[in-house]
Amino acid sequence: MRIAVLGANGPTGRHLTDQALAGGHEVVAVTRRPGSLTPRPGLAVAVADATDQAAVEAAIDGADAVLSTVGTTFGKQTVTTYSASATVVTAAMARRGVGRLLVVSSNMMDPHWRPTGAHFFNHVLDPLVARRLGRTLHADMRRMEDVIRGTDLDWTLVRPSGLFDHPVVTDYLTSETSADGVFTARADLAAAMLRELEEGRYVRTAMGVVTTAVKPNVVKLIWNEGVKKK
Ligand SMILES: NC(=O)c1ccc[n+]([C@@H]2O[C@H](COP(=O)([O-])OP(=O)(O)OC[C@H]3O[C@@H](n4cnc5c(N)ncnc54)[C@H](OP(=O)(O)O)[C@@H]3O)[C@@H](O)[C@H]2O)c1
């Protein structure tokens, strides 16, 4: 397949690009920062902002599917990245006749998501930190999901939990609407997206993804995701 990966130079996007190439797919890496992408057979690079209609349309032309890992960090400011890129990408796909879309969202989009046994997360971290600090980001993710649900495309909303870095694909669980677990390794998120592209088990619905085999070091996670990324 020829796959357009949006956010290809981001932490999940790089796993997705590497795994897709290793799986024999052609990849169009769509990014604002092409500099550090290593040229490889099967890889084409398209420089585009995901909210630029003409650039996105040109980048996804001829693709069989679009996989988006576009995202931004949370803060007090209003966030529009998710909904704006979803609006542009879905319109571009409709115009160019590309039917299959997988977009990374979050398990937080399921209001009933409460990971089993995760008392500290459910009662302290989630209400006090994630939902408060992530309020504007999650509001825009919700708008993104609404935009995508309103299209005729074959979409899948891919919902991970807290992302962490692990070098290889491990064991992970997928489940409709959301998945029961606090963490998702980026390598597993990428693997789950590529598997869903092949299998089509969650077309026009949401797929939760959580890692079951390994757990992150929480102090390192808070440093990497909350401090270093800012
Ligand atoms: N962190 C978590 O715990 C968590 C939990 C659930 C879901 N998620 C979601 O998972 C996804 C992947 O997260 P991640 O941490 O691996 O990646 P990330 O750090 O959020 O980066 C995603 C990529 O999006 C790109 N991007 C942002 N705005 C763009 C725009 N206007 N045009 C083109 N590209 C744009 C960035 O490109 P540049 O490199 O050009 O800036 C970056 O490469 C995101 O959607 C995130 O919201 C994260």
Side-chain angles (χ1 to χ4, degrees), residues 71-85:
T72 189
T73 47
F74 55 69
K76 282 191 183 141
Q77 74 287 358
T78 304
V79 174
T80 57
T81 301
Y82 297 91
S83 57
S85 66

Side-chain angles (χ1 to χ4, degrees), residues 7 9-12 32-33 48-51 69-72 81-82 104-106 141 160-163 186 225 229:
N9 209 4
T12 301
R32 299 181 293 191
R33 297 177 299 130
D49 189 295
T51 61
T69 66
V70 165
T72 189
T81 301
Y82 297 91
V104 178
S105 173
S106 166
M141 255 186 190
S161 296
L163 293 181
R186 289 186 169 91
E225 305 296 327
K229 248 188 171 192

Side-chain angles (χ1 to χ4, degrees), residues 2-172:
R2 186 172 171 84
I3 303 170
V5 176
L6 274 71
N9 209 4
T12 301
R14 285 195 294 267
H15 281 286
L16 197 50
T17 300
D18 291 348
Q19 290 181 27
L21 289 170
H25 297 293
E26 282 177 43
V27 174
V28 182
V30 187
T31 176
R32 299 181 293 191
R33 297 177 299 130
S36 55
L37 281 175
T38 318
R40 276 162 286 172
L43 177 67
V45 176
V47 180
D49 189 295
T51 61
D52 178 335
Q53 189 70 53
V56 170
E57 230 178 285
I60 66 156
D61 191 35
D64 299 300
V66 174
L67 274 55
S68 176
T69 66
V70 165
T72 189
T73 47
F74 55 69
K76 282 191 183 141
Q77 74 287 358
T78 304
V79 174
T80 57
T81 301
Y82 297 91
S83 57
S85 66
T87 303
V88 161
V89 170
T90 54
M93 290 177 69
R95 272 207 281 273
R96 298 285 170 142
V98 183
R100 186 72 172 109
L101 174 66
L102 286 88
V103 176
V104 178
S105 173
S106 166
N107 270 325
M108 295 251 175
M109 295 300 100
D110 174 6
H112 305 294
W113 177 69
R114 297 283 178 278
T116 309
H119 300 293
F120 183 68
F121 176 81
N122 287 334
H123 300 292
V124 181
L125 275 185
D126 187 31
L128 292 182
V129 183
R131 293 198 194 248
R132 199 167 287 184
L133 289 179
R135 199 174 49 81
T136 58
L137 188 152
H138 293 137
D140 195 47
M141 255 186 190
R142 245 170 253 118
R143 290 191 286 272
M144 170 186 82
E145 290 205 346
D146 289 344
V147 167
I148 292 167
R149 285 179 196 283
T151 70
D152 294 328
L153 299 169
D154 289 332
W155 48 264
T156 301
L157 300 168
V158 183
R159 293 172 165 176
S161 296
L163 293 181
F164 69 101
D165 289 321
H166 190 72
V168 292
V169 177
T170 65
D171 287 336
Y172 61 87

